[in-house]
Amino acid sequence: MTTPPASTGAPPSQSPPPLPPSLIATLPGRWYTDPEIFRQEQERIFESGWFCAVRSADLAKPGAYRTVHIGRESVLVTRNRAGELRAFLNICRHRGARLCVAESGEVRRTLQCPYHAWTYDLDGRLVAAPHLVRMPDVDRVAYGLVGVGLREWLGYAWVCLADEPPSFEETVMGAAVERLGDAASVEHYRAQDLALGRRVSYDVRANWKLIVENFMECYHCATIHPELTDVLPEFADGYAAQYYVGHGAEFGAGVRGFTVDGSAGFGKLPEVTAEQDRRYYAITVKPTLFVNLVPDHVIVHRMFPLAADRTVVECDWLYARDVVESGADLSKSVELFHRVNEQDFAACERTQPAMSSRAYRHGGVLVPSEHHIGAFHAWVTRALGAAPGEAASPP
Ligand code: FES
Ligand SMILES: [Fe+2]
């Protein structure tokens, strides 16, 4: 047997070491691995607030539907005959069979349970079932599908499973106001009128919070994002300049567009102001949405946390309708952020295994340009009912 070499670092101790003023602590490692903490996040975060579920235009016609995982529930989003979106728990009221098993599909007028054929209209009312006429006392609304809150914003359907949803204006739209300084700036991009140019789904083997934290800082930009820092030179500085209220990172002098090689993109979206032109803005809408705004397109990331160590991220690149309809070559435009995504998600996946290491028992540290991530950690711990500073002892 050989004697292990003496460690040069401090041995892991029971209590976290005091930190110098430049550093603040992250959450301890088990916040990123513990299934019980993930379960509590499902209940108190994803099932309690507004969750960006589906792009409205994906459900173009009445009867089109999509199923999504929100917290521990499967949610069915569909469009009724009047053209309005509706969201229901994807559960038959008879004996609980999952109503729609496909991720997406289209029905003509009704949703029929494959078990005993209870049948619901697109507003969720029970309209038919074997022998229903012999049960005149069964109220068709009371035994209809269980509806959940739904709002549309930026061209997406947001769903809330809570009995009493929090204010959409404060908790969702407020994030854009906080980041951009006013409510109007994000509206100039008219995301709801844009067309889907490309969608890529990433299956990321990392906790959802690592992905949020990564998106919130640019300390890593100089190291892992060569193409992005070529287009946005101020990102190479590593300071989170992009997070000063109202500030958009400016394109480099020779850069013609937000593309992988800085070549020209497409025409500026019509309502984007001169001030917003040649700039990049990023918004994090907690818990699971990132919006990137550039003059000629909008990039929207929706996250679907599936397990403590697995998150699916669906990324949409949205362009003016005429750009998409013209069949224009989007590849250089899409490639820039696709590379950024792959670089970011590889970094998150490289970090995830360390979360269960004894080296990360007390977590890591945030440098000054990452200190704002501490507010995200405080938000998560508050949602789970842990007092500030109690992060080391999760509930
Ligand atoms: S469980 Fe759906 S009809 Fe019986
Ligand atoms: Fe990044």
Side-chain angles (χ1 to χ4, degrees), residues 214-221 224-225 228 235 337 340-341 343-345 347:
N214 172 81
F215 193 77
M216 290 180 79
E217 53 94 358
C218 207
Y219 192 45
H220 67 269
C221 288
I224 70 171
H225 295 319
L228 185 64
F235 273 18
F337 227 86
V340 169
N341 285 339
Q343 292 154 350
D344 279 334
F345 300 151

Side-chain angles (χ1 to χ4, degrees), residues 91-99 112-120 129-130:
I91 300 280
C92 176
R93 292 299 303 283
H94 173 222
R95 297 244 314 282
R98 180 158 291 189
L99 202 57
Q112 187 175 67
C113 178
Y115 195 176
H116 314 85
W118 278 34
T119 304
Y120 306 89

Side-chain angles (χ1 to χ4, degrees), residues 32 38 41-42 204 206-208 304-312:
Y32 302 85
F38 184 69
E41 289 171 343
Q42 289 180 309
V204 187
N207 183 271
W208 69 280
F304 297 89
L306 299 184
D309 59 355
R310 184 174 171 213
T311 309
V312 167

